Amino acid sequence: MTFHHTIADAVKVFEGVGAAIMIVGAVYAFAVFALALPNPQTRARAWEPLRRNLGRAILLGLEVLIMADII
C-alpha cells in the first residue's frame, strides 16, 4: 500500500465521520425537539434548542469535512 492510498483512505474515514456527526446530531436535535412538544410549557420555545443543536451538529460535521479536504 502506497502513501497515496493511505492518505486517500484517511480522507474517506474523515468524510464518513463528518457525515455521521451531522446525521447523529440531526437525529438528536429532532429527538429533543419531539420530546419538548407534548409539554405546553416548553412547546413555545422548542424551536430554539432545535436550531441551536442542529447548528452545532452541522458546524462540527463541516469542520471535520474541511479537515478531510485539507488532508
Side-chain angles (χ1 to χ4, degrees):
M1 183 170 249
T2 65
F3 179 74
H4 178 70
H5 287 90
T6 304
I7 295 300
D9 289 342
V11 168
K12 288 178 186 176
V13 169
F14 274 98
E15 287 174 346
V17 169
I21 288 171
M22 287 191 276
I23 291 168
V24 170
V27 169
Y28 171 77
F30 280 106
V32 170
F33 175 71
L35 291 174
L37 287 180
N39 187 349
Q41 295 174 343
T42 59
R43 185 180 306 144
R45 294 178 297 206
W47 285 102
E48 295 171 15
L50 172 66
R51 290 180 67 217
R52 183 175 49 248
N53 291 333
L54 192 57
R56 286 178 181 165
I58 291 171
L59 183 60
L60 182 59
L62 288 175
E63 287 176 355
V64 174
L65 288 174
I66 290 170
M67 286 190 319
D69 284 342
I70 291 171
I71 291 175

